[in-house]
């Protein structure tokens, strides 16, 4: 077992039984160039017309693309739908690599920010303020009111077909 850091209603696992290091260090360079675009969300007509994230993404689309890169098949859901989903995801009391982390200014999943647990207290996310992907630690989230309430973690249980 690895070190655990308590953070809100979940604990972040610093490693995953030694199987992988921080995931953000192994992402292709193109992931760091995806621009933030709030109009490009799961189910949006703009995304259906041009699925490539080079045109931009919101927080969910970016997080889902990271998971797809690692072979998972996240559902194309907005925050509240993701939180209530029981088909493609499960709630994780201890966040592990590639879990989706939801945080908000309130305990509501509606409109919650979606990020990816990247390991070693690293949380990878795309946010409007920066306009590009960023890696933060848990304290960076709690220090900002709009992200200060951790709703919890969701683990994608479906893998892509080969």
């Amino acid at each position: 077992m690895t070190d655990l850091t308590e953070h809100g209603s979940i604990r972040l696992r610093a490693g995953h039984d030694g199987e992988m290091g921080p995931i953000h260090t192994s992402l292709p360079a193109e992931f760091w160039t995806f621009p933030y675009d709030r109009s490009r969300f799961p189910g949006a007509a703009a995304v259906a017309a041009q699925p490539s994230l080079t045109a931009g993404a919101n927080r969910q689309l970016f997080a889902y693309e990271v998971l797809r890169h690692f072979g998972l098949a996240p559902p194309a859901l907005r925050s509240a739908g993701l939180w209530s989903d029981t088909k493609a995801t499960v709630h994780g009391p201890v966040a592990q690599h590639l879990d989706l982390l939801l945080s908000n200014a309130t305990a509501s999943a509606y409109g919650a920010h979606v990020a990816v647990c990247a390991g070693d207290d690293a949380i990878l996310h795309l946010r409007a303020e920066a306009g590009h992907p960023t890696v933060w630690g848990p304290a960076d989230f709690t220090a900002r009111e709009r992200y200060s309430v951790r709703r919890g973690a969701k683990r994608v249980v479906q893998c892509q077909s080969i």
Side-chain angles (χ1 to χ4, degrees):
M1 183 67 78
T2 57
D3 294 334
L4 297 172
T5 302
E6 189 73 36
H7 180 66
S9 62
I10 66 167
R11 292 175 291 162
L12 298 179
R13 186 176 299 216
H16 183 68
D17 300 325
E19 293 176 14
M20 88 186 327
I23 62 149
H24 61 282
T25 62
S26 61
L27 285 174
E30 69 183 18
F31 276 81
W32 301 101
T33 65
F34 293 145
Y36 179 84
D37 183 340
R38 70 179 297 178
S39 70
R40 294 184 50 82
F41 54 86
V47 174
Q50 185 180 8
S52 170
L53 295 192
T54 58
N58 79 337
R59 56 196 179 245
Q60 291 105 354
L61 281 182
F62 175 76
Y64 298 162
E65 187 66 18
V66 169
L67 270 54
R68 279 191 289 278
H69 174 76
F70 289 100
L72 297 173
L77 300 171
R78 303 291 302 268
S79 303
L82 173 63
W83 187 251
S84 63
D85 174 68
T86 58
K87 197 173 193 177
T89 63
V90 296
H91 292 276
V94 176
Q96 297 177 7
H97 283 86
L98 301 175
D99 281 355
L100 296 165
L101 306 175
L102 283 77
S103 58
N104 208 345
T106 70
S108 175
Y110 181 82
H113 186 74
V114 177
V116 178
C117 180
D120 299 329
D121 289 331
I123 302 169
L124 174 63
H125 63 124
L126 179 60
R127 63 188 183 96
E129 295 87 350
H132 55 80
T134 307
V135 177
W136 280 359
D140 295 310
F141 281 85
T142 55
R144 291 161 175 87
E145 185 177 347
R146 70 182 294 171
Y147 307 121
S148 63
V149 179
R150 180 61 51 84
R151 181 70 173 127
K154 291 293 294 218
R155 185 163 305 133
V156 174
V157 294
Q158 296 181 339
C159 294
Q160 296 173 9
S161 311
I162 298 175

